[in-house]
C-alpha cells in the first residue's frame, strides 16, 4: 500500500510540473501551418486582454448548475505550448482548430464523427443553387432563436443575417482572414433578418461550395457585435454560437469553456471544457493515468498506441481524417531546379521507411498530394504506376540520375525543421536516406512557428509539409497554383515549389460542375506535377487520441476535419 501511495504522489508531482512548471517551447501542435497572411496570429497575445468575465449569474443560471448525468468539466490535454489564435479565420493549427470547433458554428456542418456527410447547422436546411443572370446563387434560411454568446461588453443577442454577412465578409478579407482566397468572386447579401444569399461569379459544384460555408476555417460564423467590441482580443476570446462559451484564458496554461445554456441544440451534457496546453507527451500521459486529464492528444506512433491501450480504463482512438506528409522541391533554388535531381531524391526515399515511423495502425501509404483516403481526386498506386510517376524506392536509379545531372558525388544543402515530432522525425529520416546516395542535408531545429515563417520566406530547398485540406481544389490551389507561390505569388500561400504548370487544369476543374469530369481533371493535374517531380507524397498520418473510459464523445468516430475527436453538446463524462 505504502509503495503504491508513493508512486501515485510522484506521478502527480511530475504531472503538475509538466502542466505549469518549467516553460515549454513555443511550439503549436499545428501541423497545418498559418497561411502567409496569418503569421501575426502566432504571436503571443497581450496578457492584459487574456480574460473576459462572463455576465453575472442569474437565478436560472444557478438552477442549471445542478448535477446532470454525464456532466462535469472535461479536461483536455492538447499537444501545444500555447494557443496561436482563437479568431476562427486565423485558427490554422490543430490546437486552435480543435478549440474553436467547440465555440463556433457554420451555416452547414460536417456531421460530428463523419466528415463525409453535411448537415444543416445555423441554416435550416442545405441549400440548392440557382443560376440568376449567369451567376450562381446559394440562399440560406437561418434558424431563428440562435443566441450569440455574451461578452463583458455585449449581452447575449439573437444571431441574424447581419452577423453572417459580417462574418463571411471578414473571412473574404485578406487583412482579417487566412482563408480569403477561398472566397474570391463571391458576394454576400442579406435577404431579411434570417436570409442570406451567396452569389458566385463562376458557378462551382456543391462539393466545392459547401466546405466554404461549413464549420471549418473561413466558414465559422463570428458574432458581429461581440467581435467588434473585442477587436484584436478576439484572438484570445472567441465569441460564437456554439455549445461552449469562452470563460478565461491563462497564457501557456489553459483556456476554460463553459456550457452554453441557450445552445440551439440543447444544453450540453458537459458543464464545460478545460483545454490545457501541454507540449510534453509524458506529462499528458501521466495526467491521463492519474485521472487528472480525460482526453489527450497522443503520439502518431503504433508503439505508443499499443502501450497506452494496456492502461486500465483507457481507450485509444485512431481515426481520420489523416494529414498527408509531402516533400515539396523548391525549384527556385539550385540544384532543385534540375528535374533529374528532384527525381533522384524521389527514388532515394523509401515509403516503407516513412510508414515504419508511424506503424500500419497509424500511417497509410499515399501516392498523390491529394490523398485517395476520403477525397475524390486522389490517385491510387496503380494509377501512378501506369503513368510512371510512382518513384518506387531504387538507390541505383537515384545515383544514376544524380550523375546525369552533374552530381556524381552528391551535394549538400541546409534546411530548417520544426521540433514537432511529425516534422522532425520525417526530416531526420529523409536526412538518413539521402545520405545513402551522397546527399548531405544539414538540419537546423527551430520552434514550430519559426519554421513555418521561414519556409514561407523561401529558405528551404526542400520543404516537408504536413496537412489536411477539405477537397482537391484546396490542396492544388494552395500548394501548386502560381498565385500561391511563396513570397512572389499574387496571393502568397504554400506553393513552396514555385510551380506554375497546372494553373489551367486547376481552374478548369474548379469551374466543372460534373463531379466525374472534375475528378478526372484533378487526377490529370496531379499526374502532371508528379511527372515533373514537383512534390513527393510520403505517408498519410491518422489522428491519435487517448481518453478515459468515462468519456463518451456522443458519436461514432470515423473522421474529423477539426483533427480532434470533436466535443459537442452530446459528449458526456461519467466518472
Amino acid at each position: 500500500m505504502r509503495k503504491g501511495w508513493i508512486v501515485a504522489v510522484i506521478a502527480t508531482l511530475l504531472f503538475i510540473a509538466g502542466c505549469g512548471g518549467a516553460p515549454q517551447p513555443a511550439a503549436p501542435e499545428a501541423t497545418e501551418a498559418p497561411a502567409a497572411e496569418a503569421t501575426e496570429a502566432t504571436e503571443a497575445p497581450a496578457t492584459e486582454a487574456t480574460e473576459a468575465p462572463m455576465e453575472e449569474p442569474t437565478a436560472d443560471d444557478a438552477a442549471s448548475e445542478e448535477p446532470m448525468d454525464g456532466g462535469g468539466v472535461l479536461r483536455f490535454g492538447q499537444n501545444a505550448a500555447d494557443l496561436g489564435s482563437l479568431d476562427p479565420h486565423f485558427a490554422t493549427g490543430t490546437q486552435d482548430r480543435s478549440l474553436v470547433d467547440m465555440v463556433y458554428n457554420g451555416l452547414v456542418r460536417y456531421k460530428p464523427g463523419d466528415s463525409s456527410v453535411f448537415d444543416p447547422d445555423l441554416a435550416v436546411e442545405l441549400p440548392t443553387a440557382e443560376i440568376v443572370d449567369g451567376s450562381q446563387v446559394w440562399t440560406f434560411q437561418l434558424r431563428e432563436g440562435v443566441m450569440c454568446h455574451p461578452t463583458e461588453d455585449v449581452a447575449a443577442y439573437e444571431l441574424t443575417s447581419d452577423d453572417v454577412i459580417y462574418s463571411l465578409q471578414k473571412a473574404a478579407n485578406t487583412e482579417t482572414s487566412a482563408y480569403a482566397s477561398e472566397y474570391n468572386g463571391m458576394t454576400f447579401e442579406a435577404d431579411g433578418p434570417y436570409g442570406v444569399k451567396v452569389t458566385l461569379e463562376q458557378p462551382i459544384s456543391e462539393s466545392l461550395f459547401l466546405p466554404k460555408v461549413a464549420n471549418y476555417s473561413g466558414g465559422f460564423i463570428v458574432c458581429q457585435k461581440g467581435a467588434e467590441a473585442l477587436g484584436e482580443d478576439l484572438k484570445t476570446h472567441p465569441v460564437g454560437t456554439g455549445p461552449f462559451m469562452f470563460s478565461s484564458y491563462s497564457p501557456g496554461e489553459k483556456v476554460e469553456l463553459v456550457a452554453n445554456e441557450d445552445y440551439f441544440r440543447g444544453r450540453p451534457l458537459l458543464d464545460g471544457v478545460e483545454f490545457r496546453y501541454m507540449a510534453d507527451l509524458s506529462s499528458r500521459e501521466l495526467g491521463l493515468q492519474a485521472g487528472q486529464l480525460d482526453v489527450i492528444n497522443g503520439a502518431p506512433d503504433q508503439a505508443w498506441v499499443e502501450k497506452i491501450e494496456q492502461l486500465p480504463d483507457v481507450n485509444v482512438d485512431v481515426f481520420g481524417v489523416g494529414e498527408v506528409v509531402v516533400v515539396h522541391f523548391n525549384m527556385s533554388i539550385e540544384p532543385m531546379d534540375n528535374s533529374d535531381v528532384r527525381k533522384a531524391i524521389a527514388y532515394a526515399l523509401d515509403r516503407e521507411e516513412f510508414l515504419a515511423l508511424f506503424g500500419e495502425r497509424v500511417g497509410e501509404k499515399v501516392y498523390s498530394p491529394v490523398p485517395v483516403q476520403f477525397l475524390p481526386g486522389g490517385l491510387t498506386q496503380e494509377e501512378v504506376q501506369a503513368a510512371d510517376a510512382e518513384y518506387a524506392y531504387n538507390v541505383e536509379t537515384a545515383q544514376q540520375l544524380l550523375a546525369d545531372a552533374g552530381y556524381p558525388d552528391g551535394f549538400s544543402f541546409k534546411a530548417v525543421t520544426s521540433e514537432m515530432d511529425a516534422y522532425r522525425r520525417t526530416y531526420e529520416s529523409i536526412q538518413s536516406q539521402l545520405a545513402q546516395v551522397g546527399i548531405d542535408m544539414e538540419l537546423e531545429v527551430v520552434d514550430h512557428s519559426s519554421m513555418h515563417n521561414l519556409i514561407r520566406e523561401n529558405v528551404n530547398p526542400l520543404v516537408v509539409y504536413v496537412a489536411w485540406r477539405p477537397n482537391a481544389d484546396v490542396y492544388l490551389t494552395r500548394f501548386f497554383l502560381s498565385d500561391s507561390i511563396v513570397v512572389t505569388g499574387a496571393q502568397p500561400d504554400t506553393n513552396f515549389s514555385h510551380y506554375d504548370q497546372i494553373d489551367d487544369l486547376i481552374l478548369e476543374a474548379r469551374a466543372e460542375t460534373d463531379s466525374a469530369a472534375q475528378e478526372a481533371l484533378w487526377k490529370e493535374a496531379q499526374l502532371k506535377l508528379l511527372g515533373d517531380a514537383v512534390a513527393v507524397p510520403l505517408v498519410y498520418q491518422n489522428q491519435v487520441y487517448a481518453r478515459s473510459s468515462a468519456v463518451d464523445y456522443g458519436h461514432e468516430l470515423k473522421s474529423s476535419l477539426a483533427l480532434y475527436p470533436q466535443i459537442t453538446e452530446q459528449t458526456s463524462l461519467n466518472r
Side-chain angles (χ1 to χ4, degrees):
M1 286 289 294
R2 183 174 180 82
K3 182 179 179 182
W5 178 82
I6 292 171
V7 170
V9 169
I10 292 172
T12 301
L13 290 173
L14 286 170
F15 167 70
I16 292 170
C19 284
Q24 299 289 344
E29 148 68 6
T31 52
E32 293 204 24
E37 305 94 319
T39 53
E40 291 182 0
T42 63
E43 295 178 357
T47 55
E48 61 266 24
T50 58
E51 190 166 332
M54 305 300 294
E55 289 188 316
E56 290 296 318
T58 64
D60 289 340
D61 293 328
S64 71
E65 292 176 3
E66 292 297 317
M68 298 177 61
D69 290 340
V73 175
L74 184 143
R75 298 154 306 176
F76 190 106
Q78 185 58 277
N79 176 17
D82 204 352
L83 60 78
S85 176
L86 300 182
D87 177 339
H89 302 154
F90 284 115
T92 53
T94 303
Q95 86 279 18
D96 296 334
R97 287 183 183 277
S98 50
L99 198 149
V100 301
D101 182 71
M102 302 182 228
V103 176
Y104 291 94
N105 297 98
L107 288 170
V108 301
R109 70 171 183 173
Y110 294 96
K111 180 181 177 181
D114 186 355
S115 59
S116 67
V117 178
F118 285 102
D119 286 335
D121 201 8
L122 294 174
V124 174
E125 60 184 2
L126 298 179
T128 300
E130 298 178 295
I131 300 299
V132 180
D133 297 329
S135 297
Q136 188 182 55
V137 180
W138 301 80
T139 302
F140 295 89
Q141 186 66 27
L142 301 179
R143 297 175 187 263
E144 298 185 25
V146 174
M147 300 301 293
C148 283
H149 300 166
T151 67
E152 182 178 15
D153 298 317
V154 179
Y157 68 94
E158 185 184 22
L159 179 100
T160 68
S161 55
D162 289 341
D163 297 280
V164 176
I165 299 303
Y166 165 82
S167 189
L168 292 174
Q169 289 176 340
K170 176 181 177 303
N173 186 334
T174 57
E175 295 183 1
T176 55
S177 170
Y179 308 102
S181 62
E182 288 294 305
Y183 302 91
N184 288 342
M186 293 189 187
T187 57
F188 316 102
E189 61 178 318
D191 185 16
Y194 302 107
V196 172
K197 288 186 176 182
V198 180
T199 301
L200 284 72
E201 298 172 1
Q202 173 64 56
I204 61 176
S205 64
E206 181 181 78
S207 64
L208 290 188
F209 175 74
L210 290 181
K212 300 177 189 297
V213 293
N215 57 336
Y216 181 84
S217 302
F220 283 117
I221 300 301
V222 175
C223 291
Q224 179 177 5
K225 295 177 183 177
E228 289 182 336
L230 287 163
E232 287 295 308
D233 292 342
L234 187 64
K235 293 180 180 179
T236 56
H237 183 158
V239 55
T241 55
F244 297 96
M245 304 188 298
F246 175 85
S247 176
S248 67
Y249 167 49
S250 302
E253 182 183 355
K254 64 183 177 180
V255 170
E256 292 181 304
L257 305 176
V258 297
N260 178 2
E261 302 287 341
D262 298 321
Y263 187 50
F264 63 87
R265 287 191 173 94
R267 197 257 195 209
L269 297 177
L270 293 173
D271 298 312
V273 177
E274 189 173 278
F275 192 93
R276 298 182 183 176
Y277 298 102
M278 301 175 65
D280 182 66
L281 177 60
S282 296
S283 295
R284 298 198 303 277
E285 287 181 29
L286 286 169
L288 185 65
Q289 292 180 59
Q292 295 174 325
L293 291 174
D294 303 301
V295 179
I296 65 170
N297 186 312
D301 179 359
Q302 182 168 316
W304 187 89
V305 171
E306 293 172 350
K307 179 185 75 171
I308 300 300
E309 284 180 331
Q310 302 306 310
L311 298 176
D313 300 318
V314 170
N315 298 320
V316 180
D317 297 298
V318 180
F319 58 96
V321 297
E323 296 174 275
V324 185
V325 183
V326 177
V327 170
H328 299 260
F329 298 113
N330 185 344
M331 297 187 295
S332 73
I333 297 177
E334 294 182 351
M336 301 303 176
D337 58 342
N338 188 311
S339 63
D340 281 345
V341 169
R342 300 194 300 271
K343 290 178 180 179
I345 292 175
Y347 278 112
L349 299 178
D350 186 358
R351 284 188 175 88
E352 294 291 346
E353 289 289 328
F354 296 106
L355 186 60
L357 289 177
F358 303 99
E360 292 186 358
R361 287 184 60 185
V362 176
E364 301 176 38
K365 291 182 180 180
V366 65
Y367 296 94
S368 57
V370 177
V372 73
Q373 296 89 337
F374 293 106
L375 289 183
L379 295 169
T380 65
Q381 182 178 13
E382 293 72 22
E383 287 172 321
V384 295
Q385 283 176 341
D388 195 27
E390 181 184 4
Y391 303 107
Y393 179 60
N394 191 313
V395 171
E396 291 76 16
T397 300
Q399 291 173 327
Q400 184 59 56
L401 284 165
L402 284 174
D404 293 343
Y407 298 95
D409 300 319
F411 58 92
S412 62
F413 67 96
K414 296 180 180 180
V416 298
T417 174
S418 163
E419 88 283 36
M420 185 179 172
D421 200 45
Y423 280 91
R424 183 169 182 167
R425 286 199 302 169
T426 301
Y427 269 107
E428 289 174 346
S429 181
I430 292 171
Q431 182 184 48
S432 175
Q433 294 181 58
L434 292 185
Q436 302 304 308
V437 296
I439 299 175
D440 177 24
M441 180 170 70
E442 181 182 337
L443 287 177
E444 178 186 357
V445 180
V446 299
D447 68 83
H448 193 61
S449 295
S450 294
M451 184 205 73
H452 282 298
N453 289 335
L454 287 168
I455 60 179
R456 284 165 175 75
E457 294 170 5
N458 209 44
V459 302
N460 270 16
L462 178 153
V463 173
V464 172
Y465 205 86
V466 187
W468 171 264
R469 297 290 180 257
N471 54 58
D473 177 69
V474 180
Y475 267 111
L476 296 176
T477 297
R478 298 192 67 179
F479 291 109
F480 304 107
L481 187 72
S482 62
D483 282 356
S484 301
I485 292 173
V486 294
V487 182
T488 61
Q491 292 182 304
D493 194 355
T494 51
N495 184 341
F496 304 110
S497 58
H498 295 251
Y499 192 54
D500 61 1
Q501 296 300 301
I502 56 171
D503 285 11
D504 55 342
L505 289 170
I506 294 172
L507 298 176
E508 184 181 352
R510 187 180 302 164
E512 179 58 68
T513 56
D514 178 82
S515 58
Q518 188 175 61
E519 183 175 356
L521 288 166
W522 286 331
K523 290 187 175 187
E524 182 182 350
Q526 289 181 96
L527 289 173
K528 167 65 175 169
L529 71 88
L530 290 172
D532 291 340
V534 173
V536 180
L538 301 179
V539 68
Y540 176 89
Q541 170 195 319
N542 282 295
Q543 309 301 317
V544 178
Y545 282 77
R547 58 186 163 93
S548 161
S549 58
V551 175
D552 181 349
Y553 290 128
H555 53 260
E556 183 181 358
L557 188 51
K558 297 179 181 178
S559 60
S560 165
L561 259 73
L563 306 180
Y564 87 117
Q566 290 194 274
I567 309 302
T568 74
E569 75 284 353
Q570 295 296 321
T571 301
S572 61
L573 185 60
N574 296 286
R575 60 169 180 245

